[in-house]
Amino acid sequence: QVQLVESGGGLVQPGGSLRLSCAASGSILSIYSMGWYRQAPGNQRELVAGIIIGGSTNYADPVKGRFTISRDNAKNTVYLQMNSLKPEDTAVYYCNVLLATIKGPNEYWGQGTQVTVSS
């Protein structure tokens, strides 16, 4: 069984910073990719940033230059450093992990953490 535990959301003023964390635990054989998605009210869930096993990263255009994704392989943890936050970054942020257990590859989602950017 695999669990994803997110932390780090909250309320921040425009221009501020937050750091999200997502730790994967359980009977994990290998992690292929880790990423962050977000969903604002009335909108579809969208990719924010991703990082694959080799370390390559990709970002959605609205967050390029402001957000940085990284991972700690020893801790099976992915981070999202968010700087220069804007009100339009307000959303629930979800961790997404593609990994393998003895049952094979599967995709897992975190519970979501609220990020609110407001003065």
Side-chain angles (χ1 to χ4, degrees), residues 21-108:
S21 300
C22 172
S25 62
S27 303
I28 300 169
L29 296 180
S30 182
I31 294 179
Y32 303 121
S33 67
M34 307 181 87
W36 291 94
Y37 287 70
R38 67 185 181 187
Q39 188 168 18
N43 290 356
Q44 290 187 331
R45 191 173 297 188
E46 61 180 6
L47 174 68
V48 176
I51 183 167
I52 63 173
I53 188 170
S56 297
T57 59
N58 64 291
Y59 296 91
D61 286 343
V63 307
K64 284 181 179 177
R66 300 188 297 121
F67 292 9
T68 303
I69 189 170
S70 61
R71 60 187 282 185
D72 184 331
N73 293 329
K75 296 181 179 180
N76 288 339
T77 299
V78 63
Y79 305 96
L80 185 68
Q81 178 66 45
M82 304 185 293
N83 299 328
S84 302
L85 282 160
K86 303 176 180 180
E88 51 263 43
D89 294 318
T90 296
V92 178
Y93 284 70
Y94 297 91
C95 173
N96 173 272
V97 180
L98 178 61
L99 57 81
T101 66
I102 59 173
K103 296 183 179 180
N106 211 339
E107 183 181 40
Y108 296 87

